[in-house]
Amino acid sequence: SSSTSASNPKADASGLALQLHHLGCLVRSIAAGISSLGGALSSGPPSSPIRISSQRATVCFLPMSTGIFVELVEPDPDNKLLLRMLHDGVTFYHLGFLCRDIRATEAAQVSAGAHVLTRFSSEAFEDRECVFLLNAEGQMIELIDAPPPSAGRTSDSGFALF
């Protein structure tokens, strides 16, 4: 098996280009998350906090290595699901992947037993389409529509894109 770097996106079993972008981590507050994870573990400054209205949360990205981040997720006071998970001690809860063809990747996941949980446009990714799925093993996966390829492209918050 060959290793995959962030600059060389991996093709999944269906031959679709995927790139691990982040590990989602629930936090009581973005500031506390930056304090506990950012200083000793992060490879650079965090992004500015980004409000994701449809998900009722605020997020911030901490760079861990080239193109891979920890996404700190602070649930809104009315986000009962994420607050319950946080209360139950669940912190790291999903993997986020940039996909060259989000619909085909979603179809491949569904055919492998995954279920779509929610679809939304994310302010963290220039309002591109995202979809959360729960796979057959009960793990949550976020698929993120990757922007068209362009050298050195970054988002407004400064983190690298596909």
Side-chain angles (χ1 to χ4, degrees), residues 42-106:
S42 182
S43 64
S47 73
S48 297
I50 305 162
R51 173 90 175 102
I52 312 296
S53 56
S54 64
Q55 295 297 297
R56 297 185 335 270
T58 299
V59 303
C60 173
F61 292 89
L62 295 176
M64 293 291 129
S65 67
T66 305
I68 300 175
F69 302 84
V70 169
E71 178 190 33
L72 301 176
V73 180
E74 179 183 331
D76 286 357
D78 67 340
N79 190 325
K80 294 183 188 315
L81 173 65
L82 294 184
L83 288 171
R84 185 175 344 115
M85 289 171 62
L86 191 56
H87 179 265
D88 291 345
V90 175
T91 53
F92 291 104
Y93 75 107
H94 79 271
L95 292 174
F97 293 92
L98 292 172
C99 318
R100 293 240 186 259
D101 185 340
I102 192 170
R103 294 297 176 149
T105 304
E106 176 186 337

Side-chain angles (χ1 to χ4, degrees), residues 31-44:
I34 291 171
S35 177
S36 67
L37 286 173
L41 299 175
S42 182
S43 64

